[in-house]
Short mmCIF file of all heavy atoms in Angstrom, two decimals:
data_model
loop_
_atom_site.label_atom_id
_atom_site.label_comp_id
_atom_site.label_asym_id
_atom_site.label_seq_id
_atom_site.Cartn_x
_atom_site.Cartn_y
_atom_site.Cartn_z
N SER A 54 25.45 -8.53 90.13
CA SER A 54 26.17 -9.79 90.00
C SER A 54 26.17 -10.64 91.26
O SER A 54 26.39 -11.85 91.20
CB SER A 54 27.62 -9.51 89.60
OG SER A 54 28.30 -8.87 90.67
N GLY A 55 25.96 -10.01 92.41
CA GLY A 55 26.08 -10.75 93.67
C GLY A 55 27.51 -10.83 94.17
O GLY A 55 27.78 -11.44 95.21
N ILE A 56 28.44 -10.22 93.46
CA ILE A 56 29.83 -10.15 93.92
C ILE A 56 29.85 -9.36 95.23
O ILE A 56 29.15 -8.37 95.39
CB ILE A 56 30.73 -9.45 92.87
CG1 ILE A 56 30.85 -10.32 91.62
CG2 ILE A 56 32.11 -9.14 93.42
CD1 ILE A 56 31.54 -9.65 90.47
N GLY A 57 30.66 -9.81 96.19
CA GLY A 57 30.73 -9.15 97.49
C GLY A 57 31.08 -7.68 97.37
O GLY A 57 31.78 -7.25 96.45
N LYS A 58 30.59 -6.88 98.32
CA LYS A 58 30.81 -5.43 98.27
C LYS A 58 32.29 -5.08 98.30
O LYS A 58 32.73 -4.18 97.59
CB LYS A 58 30.07 -4.76 99.42
CG LYS A 58 28.56 -4.76 99.28
CD LYS A 58 27.90 -3.95 100.38
CE LYS A 58 26.40 -3.88 100.18
NZ LYS A 58 25.74 -3.06 101.24
N LYS A 59 33.06 -5.76 99.13
CA LYS A 59 34.50 -5.47 99.24
C LYS A 59 35.21 -5.79 97.93
O LYS A 59 36.03 -5.01 97.45
CB LYS A 59 35.11 -6.24 100.39
CG LYS A 59 36.59 -5.91 100.63
CD LYS A 59 37.13 -6.64 101.84
CE LYS A 59 38.60 -6.29 102.07
NZ LYS A 59 39.14 -7.02 103.25
N THR A 60 34.88 -6.95 97.35
CA THR A 60 35.50 -7.34 96.08
C THR A 60 35.11 -6.36 94.97
O THR A 60 35.95 -5.94 94.17
CB THR A 60 35.07 -8.76 95.69
OG1 THR A 60 35.52 -9.68 96.69
CG2 THR A 60 35.67 -9.17 94.35
N ALA A 61 33.83 -6.00 94.91
CA ALA A 61 33.36 -5.06 93.89
C ALA A 61 34.09 -3.73 94.02
O ALA A 61 34.49 -3.12 93.02
CB ALA A 61 31.85 -4.86 94.01
N SER A 62 34.28 -3.27 95.25
CA SER A 62 34.98 -2.00 95.48
C SER A 62 36.44 -2.09 95.05
O SER A 62 36.98 -1.18 94.42
CB SER A 62 34.89 -1.62 96.96
OG SER A 62 35.55 -0.39 97.21
N ASN A 63 37.08 -3.21 95.39
CA ASN A 63 38.48 -3.41 95.00
C ASN A 63 38.64 -3.40 93.48
O ASN A 63 39.57 -2.79 92.93
CB ASN A 63 39.01 -4.73 95.56
CG ASN A 63 39.25 -4.67 97.05
OD1 ASN A 63 39.38 -3.59 97.63
ND2 ASN A 63 39.32 -5.83 97.68
N LEU A 64 37.72 -4.08 92.79
CA LEU A 64 37.80 -4.16 91.32
C LEU A 64 37.63 -2.79 90.68
O LEU A 64 38.41 -2.41 89.80
CB LEU A 64 36.72 -5.12 90.79
CG LEU A 64 36.85 -6.59 91.16
CD1 LEU A 64 35.67 -7.37 90.60
CD2 LEU A 64 38.16 -7.18 90.67
N THR A 65 36.62 -2.06 91.11
CA THR A 65 36.35 -0.76 90.48
C THR A 65 37.46 0.24 90.78
O THR A 65 37.83 1.04 89.92
CB THR A 65 34.99 -0.20 90.94
OG1 THR A 65 34.94 -0.15 92.37
CG2 THR A 65 33.85 -1.08 90.44
N ASN A 66 37.99 0.20 91.99
CA ASN A 66 39.04 1.16 92.36
C ASN A 66 40.36 0.83 91.66
O ASN A 66 41.03 1.71 91.12
CB ASN A 66 39.26 1.16 93.88
CG ASN A 66 38.10 1.79 94.62
OD1 ASN A 66 37.36 2.60 94.07
ND2 ASN A 66 37.93 1.40 95.88
N TYR A 67 40.74 -0.44 91.67
CA TYR A 67 42.06 -0.82 91.16
C TYR A 67 42.12 -0.79 89.64
O TYR A 67 43.16 -0.44 89.06
CB TYR A 67 42.44 -2.21 91.68
CG TYR A 67 43.88 -2.57 91.42
CD1 TYR A 67 44.88 -2.16 92.29
CD2 TYR A 67 44.25 -3.28 90.29
CE1 TYR A 67 46.21 -2.47 92.06
CE2 TYR A 67 45.57 -3.59 90.03
CZ TYR A 67 46.55 -3.18 90.93
OH TYR A 67 47.88 -3.48 90.68
N LEU A 68 41.01 -1.16 88.98
CA LEU A 68 41.06 -1.32 87.53
C LEU A 68 40.53 -0.12 86.75
O LEU A 68 40.61 -0.11 85.52
CB LEU A 68 40.26 -2.58 87.12
CG LEU A 68 40.88 -3.91 87.53
CD1 LEU A 68 39.96 -5.06 87.14
CD2 LEU A 68 42.26 -4.11 86.92
N HIS A 69 40.01 0.88 87.43
CA HIS A 69 39.40 2.01 86.73
C HIS A 69 40.35 2.64 85.70
O HIS A 69 40.02 2.74 84.51
CB HIS A 69 38.95 3.07 87.73
CG HIS A 69 38.45 4.33 87.07
ND1 HIS A 69 37.25 4.38 86.38
CD2 HIS A 69 38.99 5.57 86.97
CE1 HIS A 69 37.09 5.59 85.90
NE2 HIS A 69 38.12 6.34 86.23
N SER A 70 41.52 3.04 86.13
CA SER A 70 42.45 3.72 85.22
C SER A 70 42.97 2.77 84.14
O SER A 70 43.17 3.16 82.99
CB SER A 70 43.62 4.32 86.00
OG SER A 70 44.36 3.32 86.68
N LYS A 71 43.16 1.51 84.50
CA LYS A 71 43.69 0.52 83.55
C LYS A 71 42.68 0.25 82.43
O LYS A 71 43.04 0.20 81.24
CB LYS A 71 44.06 -0.77 84.28
CG LYS A 71 45.25 -0.63 85.23
CD LYS A 71 45.51 -1.93 85.95
CE LYS A 71 46.79 -1.85 86.79
NZ LYS A 71 46.73 -0.76 87.81
N VAL A 72 41.42 0.08 82.81
CA VAL A 72 40.38 -0.16 81.80
C VAL A 72 40.19 1.09 80.93
O VAL A 72 40.07 0.99 79.70
CB VAL A 72 39.05 -0.55 82.49
CG1 VAL A 72 37.90 -0.53 81.47
CG2 VAL A 72 39.16 -1.93 83.11
N LYS A 73 40.17 2.24 81.55
CA LYS A 73 40.01 3.49 80.81
C LYS A 73 41.12 3.68 79.79
O LYS A 73 40.88 4.01 78.62
CB LYS A 73 39.99 4.67 81.78
CG LYS A 73 39.71 6.01 81.12
CD LYS A 73 39.62 7.12 82.16
CE LYS A 73 39.35 8.46 81.51
NZ LYS A 73 39.27 9.55 82.53
N ASP A 74 42.36 3.44 80.21
CA ASP A 74 43.50 3.60 79.31
C ASP A 74 43.44 2.61 78.15
O ASP A 74 43.73 2.96 77.00
CB ASP A 74 44.82 3.40 80.07
CG ASP A 74 45.10 4.55 81.03
OD1 ASP A 74 44.46 5.61 80.90
OD2 ASP A 74 45.95 4.37 81.93
N ARG A 75 43.04 1.37 78.44
CA ARG A 75 43.00 0.35 77.40
C ARG A 75 41.89 0.60 76.40
O ARG A 75 42.04 0.34 75.20
CB ARG A 75 42.86 -1.04 78.02
CG ARG A 75 44.09 -1.47 78.81
CD ARG A 75 44.09 -2.94 79.09
NE ARG A 75 45.27 -3.32 79.88
CZ ARG A 75 45.73 -4.55 79.97
NH1 ARG A 75 45.11 -5.53 79.33
NH2 ARG A 75 46.79 -4.82 80.68
N LEU A 76 40.76 1.09 76.88
CA LEU A 76 39.67 1.42 75.96
C LEU A 76 40.04 2.59 75.06
O LEU A 76 39.76 2.59 73.86
CB LEU A 76 38.40 1.74 76.75
CG LEU A 76 37.65 0.54 77.33
CD1 LEU A 76 36.53 1.01 78.24
CD2 LEU A 76 37.09 -0.34 76.22
N GLN A 77 40.69 3.59 75.63
CA GLN A 77 41.09 4.76 74.84
C GLN A 77 42.14 4.41 73.79
O GLN A 77 42.14 4.98 72.70
CB GLN A 77 41.62 5.85 75.78
CG GLN A 77 40.54 6.51 76.62
CD GLN A 77 41.08 7.53 77.59
OE1 GLN A 77 42.28 7.54 77.92
NE2 GLN A 77 40.22 8.40 78.07
N SER A 78 43.01 3.46 74.12
CA SER A 78 44.06 3.07 73.18
C SER A 78 43.60 2.02 72.19
O SER A 78 44.30 1.69 71.23
CB SER A 78 45.27 2.54 73.95
OG SER A 78 44.96 1.31 74.60
#
């Protein structure tokens, strides 16, 4: 995507559990 490395890391770390929970539900 070209998204900055720091931003990409923040997104994957912060949203991992939230996205996983929402997909499962």
